[in-house]
Amino acid sequence: MKNFLILTACIGALSAAAPAFGTDLSGQPVKIKAPPLPVAAPIIDWSGYYIGVNGGWGTSHNCWDFNGVTAEGCHDSAGGTIGGQIGYRWHIFNMVYGIEGQGNWADFNGSNVSTAFPATTIGTKTDAFGLLTGHIGYAFNAVLLYAKGGAAVTSNTYYINSAATGTEIAKNNDVRWGGALGVGAEVSITPNWSTGVEYTHLFMQRSNVSFPAALGADRVHQDVDLITARLNYKFGPAFAK
């Protein structure tokens, strides 16, 4: 009987304490773990030396004038090109400035029947070109848009063939200088690698091309259009400090 009374008293005491204990718990603040702060995307720094390769397509538009007076017609010399580039960029705020040297092998070849001398075919082959250009661009973090301008040089072979048989009658080689203007877009794909596409137009000076005395000379005007894909590797850190 004594044990029964003690058990009854304990149950009553626990029943009385339960509401008060629940009240104390309900008053405690609930601890909720704060969500992690968003991680900002790294800011790409385009500054530094870079080296790369390029390849694509080109067209050289060539117009011949016999002795600089009599038009012989025009032709497009088209074909593939592959080469490399090396340069340096300065990234200041969102503006990017740079200087670049580029050298390419080319296979631009074309011809037409001379309008002044229909028995002959006149042709132009461009086998190489080089560029030295300054760049100015605007960086949208990992995307760089830019314009370029500077000097250009082309290596050309000019030939005269028989229109009937294709036999070579004469040829001459010529290296000419001119100017270059272009635009491009480049995207950073890893911390140090970037890829892009570029269009460039070459304004080449007129050049006198001499052949054997019996054939005289021609003044040749040349313009070149280039579309190339590029892959660059930049040395040094790719993210702004």
Side-chain angles (χ1 to χ4, degrees), residues 46 88-92 95-99 134-137 144:
W46 291 90
Y88 188 87
R89 290 180 175 134
W90 296 266
H91 191 163
I92 305 172
M95 300 301 297
V96 179
Y97 308 91
I99 185 169
H135 292 202
I136 182 170
L144 173 63

Side-chain angles (χ1 to χ4, degrees), residues 130-134 148-153 178-182 200-204:
L131 307 174
L132 180 61
T133 54
K148 59 186 285 186
V153 60
L181 288 176
T200 309
H201 183 81
L202 310 185
F203 306 85
M204 309 310 294

Side-chain angles (χ1 to χ4, degrees), residues 167-185:
T167 303
E168 183 180 288
I169 299 173
K171 72 176 181 180
N172 201 348
N173 299 318
D174 173 59
V175 174
R176 65 174 63 191
W177 290 86
L181 288 176
V183 293

Side-chain angles (χ1 to χ4, degrees), residues 68-162:
V69 177
T70 306
E72 292 196 67
C74 302
H75 54 264
D76 290 331
S77 303
T81 180
I82 187 169
Q85 63 274 349
I86 184 170
Y88 188 87
R89 290 180 175 134
W90 296 266
H91 191 163
I92 305 172
F93 299 108
N94 290 97
M95 300 301 297
V96 179
Y97 308 91
I99 185 169
E100 179 184 279
Q102 177 180 336
N104 276 53
W105 166 86
D107 187 21
F108 308 157
N109 201 351
S111 63
N112 68 277
V113 174
S114 171
T115 57
F117 307 100
T120 61
T121 297
I122 55 176
T124 307
K125 181 178 181 179
T126 301
D127 54 24
F129 63 86
L131 307 174
L132 180 61
T133 54
H135 292 202
I136 182 170
Y138 190 91
F140 299 89
N141 198 15
V143 178
L144 173 63
L145 304 179
Y146 63 89
K148 59 186 285 186
V153 60
T154 60
S155 173
N156 310 281
T157 299
Y158 304 98
Y159 57 87
I160 300 175
N161 293 347
S162 167

Side-chain angles (χ1 to χ4, degrees), residues 63-72 116-117 206-211 215-221:
C63 293
W64 291 41
D65 296 316
F66 179 67
N67 286 334
V69 177
T70 306
E72 292 196 67
F117 307 100
R206 293 179 182 271
S207 180
N208 293 320
V209 181
S210 298
F211 296 103
L215 298 175
D218 277 272
R219 169 162 282 195
V220 182
H221 174 77

